[in-house]
Amino acid sequence: MKILVTGAAGYIGSHTCIELVNAGYDIIGADNFVNSSMEAIRRVRKLCGVNFPFEEIDFTDKDATEKLFEKYQIDAVMHFAGLKAVGESVQIPIEYYQNNLGSTLSLLAAMKKHDVKNFIFSSSATVYGAEASVPYNEHTPVSRVTSSPYGNTKLMIEYILKDAVKAIPGFNAVLLRYFNPVGAHESGEIGEDPTGIPNNLVPYVARVAVGKLPVIHIFGNDYDTPDGTCLRDYIHVVDLAKGHVAALKKIEQNCGLFICNLGTGKGTSVLEMVKAFSKSCGRELPYEFAPRRAGDLPAFWADPSFAKESLGWTAEKGIQEMCDDVWRWQSKNPNGYRDADA
C-alpha cells in the first residue's frame, strides 16, 4: 500500500513517516516548506533507512497536485499539510481558509479523478468547541463554530469528508481528532521546530530551557483546577504517529466514515508540565503568571476508550518521557533545523 503523506516535513508528518516505514508501508512525502525544512526529510530518511520519494509541492496548486497523482500510484492520502497557529489564524483568516480548505479540495479532486478512495485527515479536538463537557468522546457534539479560523477549517474539512463518503461509492475517510501533541523522536534528531516565538506551551518551555527565551508565561492561575492552571491532554507525538498506522489498518477494512479521538484520557496542568520539564533539563525553569488568555478553556481531555476498542491503540508514553524527549531534541538542536539549513 503506497501512502501519500502531505506535510511530511512537519512535526507530526515527519514522525508518522518513520512509523509508516517501520510498519512496512511505502510512502511518498510531500511538503511546501512554508513552516518546515528539507532537513527534516533528510533525517527521517536516515532514521528509517529508506530513501523514500519526496516532492516539494503546494497542494493549493491544482495542476501540480494533478501531476503528482499522474506520476505516482497512490493508494491512500494521509493529510497533515496546513497552517496551524490558532492566534495567527485570527489575524489572517482568509489565508487560513484559502490554504487549509483549498489544499484539501485540490487533493480530493485529484483523488476522485484517479480513483483513490482512502483519506486520513489530521483533525483536532478543537472541533468540539467551548461548551462540550469533559471528557470528550466521539459522541460529543461538535460545535457549530469553533473559537478560531484554524478550528473552523478543521470543522469544515470534516463536513467535506463526510459528504464525500456519502457521495462516492467505496470512499473511506478517517477523521483523527488530536488533543495536544508534544514530545520528539527518542533519537533527538527530529522534533517540533516552530518558526518565530512558539504558540504552544512545550516548545516555548523548551526555548526557555535552552536559553532562547527568558521566562515561561503561564496564562491564568485561578482556574477551577487542582493547581489553578489549565488542564490539557498531552500526547506523545510518536504515540500519535502510531495511531495513524492503526488507522490505516482500519481503512483497509473499508470503514467508510470513521471518527476517533487520539488522546491519553488524562489531564495534565500547565504547571505540572513546567515542573516535569524542569526535571528533564536538570534545573528549575523560571515562570511567571500572567492574565488569562481569551479563548483558553479551563480543562479538556479525551475519552480514549473507542480508540482502544476499535483500533487496538492506546497511548503508551507519559509526561516525563515526553519532556525528556523534547529536551534531548532541543538541547541537540538549539536552533532547530536552521543550523543544518544554513
Side-chain angles (χ1 to χ4, degrees):
M1 195 175 194
K2 292 186 178 180
I3 316 301
L4 171 62
V5 182
T6 77
Y11 176 43
I12 301 172
S14 59
H15 288 81
T16 303
C17 284
I18 292 175
E19 298 305 322
L20 288 169
V21 172
N22 289 345
Y25 291 99
D26 294 325
I27 65 171
I28 302 141
D31 207 298
N32 65 358
F33 300 128
V34 167
N35 290 311
S36 58
S37 166
M38 185 63 197
E39 178 62 18
I41 297 298
R42 288 190 283 266
R43 295 188 185 190
V44 168
R45 284 170 168 167
K46 184 177 179 180
L47 286 167
C48 65
V50 174
N51 189 31
F52 55 84
F54 177 85
E55 300 286 340
E56 183 174 354
I57 179 175
D58 185 336
F59 285 103
T60 62
D61 184 333
K62 295 179 181 179
D63 291 338
T65 304
E66 170 62 23
K67 288 177 182 177
L68 185 142
F69 276 79
E70 290 174 354
K71 182 175 180 180
Y72 295 99
Q73 175 62 47
I74 297 168
D75 298 305
V77 174
M78 200 169 279
H79 188 30
F80 298 103
L83 300 176
K84 66 172 188 175
V86 171
E88 182 184 62
S89 77
V90 176
Q91 301 299 319
I92 52 170
I94 293 172
E95 288 83 349
Y96 267 69
Y97 288 117
Q98 284 178 328
N99 184 85
N100 293 3
L101 297 180
S103 61
T104 305
L105 290 168
S106 178
L107 279 165
L108 289 170
M111 288 175 67
K112 184 176 181 181
K113 182 174 179 179
H114 292 271
D115 200 33
V116 180
K117 293 187 175 181
N118 300 308
F119 195 97
I120 296 178
F121 177 53
S122 171
S123 192
S124 168
T126 192
V127 301
Y128 292 117
E131 304 303 320
S133 58
V134 292
Y136 299 169
N137 63 40
E138 290 75 9
H139 299 292
T140 300
V142 297
S143 179
R144 289 182 58 206
V145 63
T146 74
S147 59
S148 70
Y150 159 76
N152 290 340
T153 67
K154 294 294 186 184
L155 188 61
M156 290 176 183
I157 292 167
E158 284 202 4
Y159 281 121
I160 290 166
L161 291 170
K162 289 174 183 178
D163 287 340
V165 169
K166 292 176 183 176
I168 304 170
F171 190 80
N172 301 304
V174 174
L175 315 181
L176 296 178
R177 293 172 178 165
Y178 308 164
F179 280 69
N180 293 71
V182 297
H185 192 268
E186 63 183 3
S187 66
E189 290 299 308
I190 63 170
E192 188 169 10
D193 185 27
T195 55
I197 297 175
N199 290 290
N200 296 327
L201 173 68
V202 174
Y204 197 101
V205 171
R207 295 278 177 90
V208 173
V210 83
K212 296 291 183 182
L213 292 170
V215 65
I216 301 159
H217 300 284
I218 298 177
F219 298 100
N221 65 339
D222 58 351
Y223 287 101
D224 186 17
T225 60
D227 63 18
T229 66
C230 292
L231 293 175
R232 295 292 181 263
D233 190 340
Y234 297 100
I235 176 174
H236 198 294
V237 66
V238 173
D239 281 332
L240 185 61
K242 290 178 178 178
H244 289 74
V245 177
L248 268 180
K249 299 185 189 312
K250 189 72 177 180
I251 222 167
E252 288 168 0
Q253 301 169 10
N254 294 315
C255 59
L257 178 67
F258 181 80
I259 300 171
C260 192
N261 289 334
L262 293 181
T264 67
K266 180 181 183 298
T268 298
S269 77
V270 172
L271 200 52
E272 285 175 319
M273 183 61 82
V274 171
K275 290 178 179 178
F277 209 100
S278 294
K279 184 177 179 181
S280 295
C281 69
R283 67 184 181 91
E284 290 299 315
L285 295 175
Y287 65 85
E288 58 187 36
F289 294 112
R292 294 185 182 190
R293 283 187 307 194
D296 275 350
L297 300 179
F300 64 84
W301 60 90
D303 175 352
S305 56
F306 184 64
K308 182 177 181 179
E309 172 192 330
S310 59
L311 299 178
W313 174 91
T314 54
E316 298 175 353
K317 298 176 183 290
I319 294 297
Q320 197 60 58
E321 194 167 359
M322 297 177 202
C323 292
D324 289 349
D325 288 344
V326 174
W327 176 238
R328 189 177 302 110
W329 149 254
Q330 193 72 75
S331 57
K332 287 179 71 172
N333 304 273
N335 298 308
Y337 296 118
R338 280 169 284 284
D339 286 340
D341 285 338

